[in-house]
Amino acid sequence: MYRGNPDHVAIIMDGNGRWGKKRRLSRSEGHYAGAKRMEEIIDAGIACGIKVLTLYAFSSENWSRPSNEVNYLMDLPVRFFNKKLPEFMKRNIQIRISGNISPLPDKTREVLAKAVARTEKNTGIIVNFAFNYGGRGDIVQAARALIEEVRNGNISEDDITEEKMQQFLYTGDLPSPNMIIRTGGEKRISNFLLWQSAESDFYFTDAYFPDFTREMFAEAIGQQPVNSYLSG
Ligand code: IPE
Ligand code: IPE
Ligand code: MG
């Protein structure tokens, strides 16, 4: 159990497919159930006073899944943000994306960019979606960006420090996660925040993500169960 008050909690939302299979549903129906649960976990994060919640929604390795599943996962953010963006504005939630959004289908890239732009000035919880994210790719893109900075004369080679490197990661100015939760029973990192997790606590639960309740989230971060701000 994490002791203290975590500012930044990151979740590897795993087990959607198996959740669907267990119910004789499709993997995509598992992803839909996971997205519903994500709404509850964002709400729980606010109620728990978390400042940053990073949610691993699509890894750079997930492209190798069957195309119908990939297509579904590219559609989900469109449906999710079209439905939730007004509420996110009302609740002062700032959306960020960590990952390479350029190869995404237009509709997905556009809805993600819109969510980030609309909520940019919000000052409440930061919900950071790791989408088309990979930890190795993150470090490579940061290295490339640093080289570009040196080449343009903005910084010198001697300015390349751990702090500078960190600023150029997709997570930018966000603090490193105090805690990383993985649902679904596997105990591995799956190319998630490799650099950023250097000092994180890890919490593993067998619960499939669509079964991961707000009470389980509160327990994971060492808090009493909290009621929803919305529905009580
Ligand atoms: C995690 O659930 C969600 C994504 C990777 C998008 P999975 O789809 O990996 O579900 P399992 O692990 O196969 O059950
Ligand atoms: C990690 O889960 C990625 C996300 C939760 C988005 P995966 O199911 O893709 O990871 P592996 O394949 O089990 O390592
Ligand atoms: Mg999985």
Side-chain angles (χ1 to χ4, degrees), residues 12-14 56-59 62 65 182 188 190:
I12 302 172
M13 305 184 291
D14 195 28
Y56 203 8
F58 191 87
S59 78
N62 288 152
R65 294 189 177 201
R182 182 171 186 143
R188 57 172 170 264
S190 297

Side-chain angles (χ1 to χ4, degrees), residues 104-188:
L104 303 181
D106 290 351
K107 58 175 188 217
T108 315
R109 195 185 59 251
E110 281 162 17
V111 84
L112 295 177
K114 182 173 88 176
V116 170
R118 284 261 176 91
T119 63
E120 193 178 30
K121 298 215 164 63
N122 290 350
T123 54
I125 192 172
I126 295 173
V127 179
N128 176 41
F129 288 92
F131 203 93
N132 194 20
Y133 179 86
R136 289 177 173 172
D138 192 1
I139 293 168
V140 169
Q141 69 78 29
R144 286 175 189 260
L146 278 175
I147 290 168
E148 198 58 25
E149 286 293 287
V150 174
R151 216 178 255 152
N152 293 338
N154 298 330
I155 59 172
S156 79
E157 242 175 271
D158 294 339
D159 295 325
I160 300 178
T161 59
E162 291 184 12
E163 289 72 28
K164 189 52 94 186
M165 180 81 182
Q166 179 140 337
Q167 285 168 20
F168 282 83
L169 295 172
Y170 284 126
T171 41
D173 60 348
L174 299 178
S176 293
N178 310 95
M179 175 163 222
I180 296 182
I181 297 171
R182 182 171 186 143
T183 64
E186 310 289 353
K187 295 185 179 65
R188 57 172 170 264

Side-chain angles (χ1 to χ4, degrees), residues 82-99:
N82 283 339
K83 176 176 164 224
K84 298 294 283 186
L85 206 47
E87 183 196 323
F88 289 165
M89 289 306 295
K90 222 175 284 164
R91 301 185 78 193
N92 199 21
I93 294 170
Q94 186 183 124
I95 302 296
R96 297 215 199 170
I97 305 296
S98 290

Side-chain angles (χ1 to χ4, degrees), residues 13-19 27 31 57-58 62 65 69 73:
M13 305 184 291
D14 195 28
N16 292 349
R18 282 166 286 161
W19 182 94
R27 293 183 57 83
H31 293 311
F58 191 87
N62 288 152
R65 294 189 177 201
E69 186 177 352
L73 290 167

